[in-house]
Amino acid sequence: MSGDIKARAVASAMTEKYRELTPAAMILGVLQGIVLNLAFVYAALKLGFSIGGSTVAAIMGYALLRGVMGKGTMIENNINQTIASGINTAGTGVVFTLPALFMLDAKWKADGLPGLEFSMGPLLIGGVAGAVLGVVLIIPLRKQMIDLDRLRFPSGVAVATIIRSGSTGIEKAKLLGIGFALGAGWKLLMATGILDAPGVLYHEELNVSFGFIPDYFSPVLYLSLMNLAAGLLAGRGGLPFFVGGLLAWWVLSPAAYFLGWTPPVETTTALAQFADGSISKGTPVFGFTYGKMIRPLGIGALIGGALMGVVMSFPAIKSALRSLATAAKTAASGGSKVGSDEMPLSVLIAGTIGAVALFFVASIMTDGVSLGQAILSSIVGVIWLFLAGLIVAQATGMTDISPMSGMALISVTLMMFLLNNNVAAAMVVGVAVCVAIGQGADMMQDLKTGYMIGGRPVKQQIAQFCVTWMGALLAAGAIYLLWHYGPKGTGAGGFGEGSPLPAPQAGVLMGIIDAVKSGNVPIDKYALGGIVGALLGAAPMAGLGVLIGLAMYLPFSITFGYGLGCLASMWMTKKFGGEFYQHKLVPVAAGLIVGEAIMGIFHAGFEMAKAMGG
Amino acid sequence: MNQTVAFGIFSVGIIISILGGAKVPEEGATWPTTLGLFGVGAFIAVVGLVMWRKVVADANANDAAAEENQDPAVLLANMAEPLDKLSQEIGDLDADTLTQRIDEILDTYVLPFAEVRQRIINKLGMERGAEILVVVAYGERMLNRVWSAAADGHLPEATSCFPEAHEAFTEAQKLLQSPS
């Protein structure tokens, strides 16, 4: 099969210009970007972190451009994955921030307070402005970060490896398809509730007490193939996340119970007895331990870890500022050979002016924002957006970890102080900064991939510049849909605490905003958790504070499934080798994630249609 | 100092501090009664952290020293002959052979040059050094493009891009040899 494909490719290559920025690549990139954006918004609401879509896009690009059309090139596939990942990544910035507004509104109303008035319009405009600014502000630094500093950008290198893998692309695409079918089918089965049994299986959660494990060990497993697949992809690197969950529920929780730190309860064996409602309503021990101890400590650790991640990026900040200072000097370096490969400065200037104007419009449209405040937030917001994007791009290039959560927290808190605690207005800037950060880091990863396979940077820059606005709009739409029609748990909306989509990152942001506004917070847990998170964040293992904090924040049923995936991946890699991981495990796992997420979105859409029809 | 020991001390400290911070404060109090336990745990974690970071820093310093045994100017000069030879033969090569020849040049000269590029800047200053490095980077990107085009079976693109790569490395060598 691969020989036929190669023969067709050679035959067409001898008569055609070398394909690079083509309509096929752009259309495929947009279609994939839309699918990946929606899928990973769903995944991020569930897991608290997003997964890059470049790998999936590169595999599918090879299968469709080369396998089906018979004429795709590596450079063309790079354009496809540049567009797809650009649309996908913009969604990450939105999903880390926007859900907090919905959740805050519901919480304040539930507490008997006035709700949070906000309009989607300014948020959408802010997202688009952030997307454009993220791309245009990072492009002038390509030469410095990639040609001179030669930052590693590990994900960019990995995607280049996939693109170059040639004939194995078709086999990978088949495995991706199998994973997709399995993930979507399983999700459909779970969503219908056909297999539910009281006390045993409820809303995709399985009681794994085996009749004897007490409640304080939280013996519940979330039967999600997405969870498992995320662990499979992470492998050894995901172990800290699993360890955080074990620490919370197999060390801290039983210790708290036996030390008498929890209120006296009638029973700790509701799960072991498979009592009806024991999974859906939780148990008294679980409720106290999770709500008053583990979760707020996790929030503190997540904040401390995220902020320490920014501090640890100080070498990247220094390097980024040096990049800025020398970028002007190197702009003309290389003479005529190199100059024609960059987007013209006039386009960048026009894009920047347009995006700043959008930023201003978004701010002035927000209730309670005066003209002076709109100008202030536009200026400060753009300056901070540029600095944050620079720092994150540098950090991503050096470590492949982006301190996006820390930057989002700083952005929103800073703007709340500048805008008299106007949450909606602060969130406009928060959304814009997060989207810009994601776009800047993603653009750099893609340019690294392009460098390694010989793509011309200007073509990637044009491609991403054209489509960058889509991702923020798509993600906002998906979040709106899921809030109103998603799988409701104990909360008011389709995601948040108590629902199958806990939205942990937004939950932490919500906690901070609530703390700033109301002053009613478990300050001891946030502070002590923050110190622990900072210590973990300072460890020579990137992202440790955020991972452990996230694991403590999320229900153990989710981290348990993820951990099983990590262990399975480590075992399979040891038994069958690294090649097995790259060529078999990665495409299947990616397919599982996309399949479940897409089915989850469809299910929400189905519920919406039912509600509207009824 | 062993990394496992340092990591172990750090982990013990983290576990103790999490335990100390977990207890809910009593009615009317802001902090839990186990604050002292938290402090002990945090101290142990800091000790472990300092030891761990030192072990890792020492290991990284050893790795860096091992790379500093190549002269970038010599690598650039030595690249001229294989580039000239390939320039003469490229029209007669099939795609597989061409990709292998490009891989050899990249692995033998270009990638090792990139590893020690800082020496160029140290020797010639940021501005002049950056000019040379940008040209070399362009040449490397063009070699990568030749490889991709050949692997895609598009030999016309591969043969038309190779002179760009050749010119870039030739220019870089001239810039390196010219007086400041």
Side-chain angles (χ1 to χ4, degrees):
Chain A
M1 175 68 161
S2 61
D4 290 341
I5 293 170
K6 193 166 182 180
R8 273 188 284 151
V10 170
S12 79
M14 301 311 284
T15 55
E16 275 191 17
K17 195 172 164 233
Y18 191 48
R19 296 168 64 88
E20 189 163 5
L21 183 59
T22 62
M26 294 204 69
I27 291 169
L28 180 62
V30 168
L31 290 174
Q32 288 200 96
I34 291 171
V35 171
L36 292 171
N37 179 296
L38 297 176
F40 293 137
V41 159
Y42 188 92
L45 285 174
K46 174 174 278 191
L47 299 172
F49 45 82
S50 185
I51 304 145
S54 293
T55 307
V56 173
I59 293 171
M60 289 310 298
Y62 183 87
L64 292 170
L65 290 171
R66 182 72 74 97
V68 173
M69 293 178 63
K71 47 186 173 179
T73 68
M74 293 184 193
I75 316 288
E76 190 180 14
N77 195 8
N78 184 46
I79 295 291
N80 153 59
Q81 72 84 14
T82 297
I83 293 171
S85 67
I87 295 173
N88 169 43
T89 312
T92 307
V94 175
V95 78
F96 276 16
T97 48
L98 184 59
L101 282 178
F102 292 93
M103 290 154 65
L104 263 175
D105 180 45
K107 180 181 184 295
W108 286 348
K109 283 174 179 164
D111 290 344
L113 299 165
L116 178 60
E117 295 292 327
F118 68 93
S119 163
M120 288 296 288
L123 293 159
L124 294 175
I125 295 173
V128 171
V132 173
L133 279 169
V135 173
V136 300
L137 291 174
I138 211 71
I139 284 174
L141 294 170
R142 181 202 70 83
K143 203 180 289 184
Q144 188 66 38
M145 287 190 182
I146 293 178
D147 289 357
L148 289 175
D149 297 339
R150 301 237 171 191
L151 299 186
R152 286 186 308 138
F153 290 104
S155 290
V157 171
V159 173
T161 307
I162 289 174
I163 289 177
R164 281 180 152 204
S165 66
S167 61
T168 61
I170 287 292
E171 286 76 31
K172 283 181 186 163
K174 284 180 190 166
L175 290 169
L176 190 76
I178 291 170
F180 182 93
L182 279 172
W186 181 256
K187 178 63 184 175
L188 186 62
L189 194 63
M190 289 288 109
T192 56
I194 289 173
L195 299 179
D196 281 6
V200 178
L201 176 66
Y202 180 75
H203 272 187
E204 305 178 58
E205 287 192 305
L206 178 69
N207 183 340
V208 290
S209 63
F210 302 110
F212 65 92
I213 300 176
D215 298 345
Y216 44 79
F217 283 106
S218 186
V220 179
L221 175 65
Y222 199 65
L223 291 183
S224 160
L225 291 181
M226 172 188 284
N227 254 14
L228 185 77
L232 286 172
L233 284 177
R236 177 180 287 275
L239 273 184
F241 184 66
F242 184 39
V243 166
L246 293 176
L247 193 60
W249 291 100
W250 291 11
V251 176
L252 175 56
S253 178
Y257 175 76
F258 285 111
L259 288 168
W261 293 353
T262 58
V265 293
E266 286 179 15
T267 177
T268 58
T269 57
L271 286 163
Q273 290 165 13
F274 300 102
D276 193 0
S278 56
I279 302 173
S280 61
K281 295 192 182 68
T283 64
V285 166
F286 176 88
F288 183 88
T289 312
Y290 182 49
K292 300 281 186 191
M293 292 184 172
I294 294 175
R295 191 162 173 273
L297 262 183
I299 289 174
L302 190 52
I303 295 168
L307 292 176
M308 182 55 81
V310 176
V311 170
M312 296 305 287
S313 298
F314 183 65
I317 296 171
K318 255 189 6 178
S319 187
L321 292 173
R322 199 182 64 231
S323 293
L324 199 57
T326 55
K329 288 182 194 169
T330 59
S333 296
S336 60
K337 285 185 189 51
V338 180
S340 61
D341 269 354
E342 302 283 0
M343 198 174 247
L345 193 60
S346 55
V347 174
L348 300 183
I349 292 172
T352 305
I353 293 172
V356 172
L358 281 177
F359 213 130
F360 172 78
V361 167
S363 296
I364 199 87
M365 278 174 66
T366 309
D367 286 339
V369 176
S370 66
L371 177 62
Q373 285 175 328
I375 293 173
L376 178 67
S377 78
S378 299
I379 294 171
V380 173
V382 169
I383 293 172
W384 171 241
L385 183 154
F386 176 58
L387 278 175
L390 191 61
I391 291 165
V392 171
Q394 195 87 15
T396 307
M398 292 167 80
T399 65
D400 218 31
I401 297 256
S402 87
M404 191 187 283
S405 7
M407 291 301 184
L409 290 170
I410 294 170
S411 306
V412 174
T413 314
L414 174 70
M415 297 316 292
M416 279 185 70
F417 281 120
L418 283 178
L419 296 173
N420 291 333
N421 282 354
N422 187 326
V423 176
M427 196 59 82
V428 168
V429 178
V431 167
V433 169
C434 261
V435 171
I437 282 171
Q439 288 292 282
D442 173 71
M443 182 85 254
M444 275 302 174
Q445 295 273 20
D446 292 336
L447 288 171
K448 181 72 174 185
T449 303
Y451 179 88
M452 292 187 66
I453 62 167
R456 298 212 185 259
V458 64
K459 305 221 170 167
Q460 286 183 268
Q461 291 160 1
I462 290 170
Q464 185 137 347
F465 194 66
C466 288
V467 302
T468 187
W469 56 274
M470 287 185 192
L473 300 180
L474 273 168
I479 287 165
Y480 182 89
L481 176 72
L482 286 168
W483 175 256
H484 289 286
Y485 302 101
K488 288 181 177 42
T490 58
F495 51 77
E497 189 185 342
S499 87
L501 300 175
Q505 295 278 9
V508 171
L509 187 56
M510 182 185 90
I512 290 295
I513 294 172
D514 204 25
V516 172
K517 290 282 279 186
S518 68
N520 180 25
V521 288
I523 193 71
D524 66 307
K525 296 290 171 281
Y526 286 4
L528 299 179
I531 292 170
V532 170
L535 287 171
L536 288 164
M541 193 186 281
L544 192 58
V546 170
L547 286 174
I548 300 273
L550 205 53
M552 293 175 72
Y553 180 93
L554 286 170
F556 186 57
S557 57
I558 291 179
T559 46
F560 193 9
Y562 181 94
L564 291 178
C566 292
L567 295 173
S569 178
M570 288 167 65
W571 178 79
M572 282 190 270
T573 304
K574 191 172 178 187
K575 190 164 173 63
F576 303 113
E579 293 278 312
F580 176 84
Y581 173 85
Q582 275 298 330
H583 296 301
K584 310 283 185 202
L585 207 53
V586 167
V588 169
L592 289 172
I593 289 170
V594 178
E596 174 169 329
I598 293 301
M599 184 54 72
I601 301 271
F602 274 150
H603 186 242
F606 175 73
E607 293 295 324
M608 179 180 79
K610 235 171 56 172
M612 288 165 81
Chain B
M1 169 56 60
N2 188 297
Q3 184 164 324
T4 307
V5 170
F7 174 72
I9 294 171
F10 176 73
S11 300
V12 166
I14 290 292
I15 291 171
I16 294 172
S17 53
I18 285 177
L19 271 171
K23 191 178 180 196
V24 176
E26 286 167 12
E27 191 71 37
T30 304
W31 303 98
T33 54
T34 48
L35 200 56
L37 182 66
F38 175 86
V40 168
F43 177 76
I44 296 172
V46 167
V47 169
L49 180 65
V50 168
M51 289 161 60
W52 188 7
R53 289 188 68 88
K54 184 161 187 336
V55 167
V56 170
D58 289 346
N60 287 342
N62 290 338
D63 287 344
E67 288 173 359
E68 290 286 322
N69 56 5
Q70 299 258 32
D71 185 341
V74 169
L75 286 167
L76 211 51
N78 289 346
M79 209 188 301
E81 193 199 324
L83 285 173
D84 288 340
K85 192 164 179 241
L86 184 53
S87 179
Q88 287 159 13
E89 296 170 0
I90 195 169
D92 302 322
L93 299 178
D94 62 42
D96 285 341
T97 309
L98 180 53
T99 58
Q100 280 167 21
R101 294 278 289 270
I102 296 293
D103 276 334
E104 279 164 20
I105 294 172
L106 286 168
D107 292 340
T108 309
Y109 305 104
V110 180
L111 296 178
F113 175 91
E115 291 295 316
V116 294
R117 66 192 180 283
Q118 186 62 37
R119 288 170 135 197
I120 297 270
I121 293 185
N122 293 345
K123 188 175 170 188
L124 301 174
M126 171 55 82
E127 207 164 327
R128 193 153 159 244
E131 191 179 358
I132 294 169
L133 293 180
V134 167
V135 175
V136 169
Y138 178 79
E140 182 184 347
R141 183 156 53 81
M142 285 296 108
L143 281 181
N144 288 333
R145 190 178 181 90
V146 172
W147 192 100
S148 295
D152 283 331
H154 206 293
L155 286 174
E157 177 73 14
T159 49
S160 71
C161 284
F162 180 76
E164 289 189 59
H166 195 182
E167 270 180 55
F169 288 114
T170 306
E171 183 177 335
Q173 203 182 348
K174 281 184 194 157
L175 287 169
L176 194 58
Q177 288 168 351
S178 67
S180 56

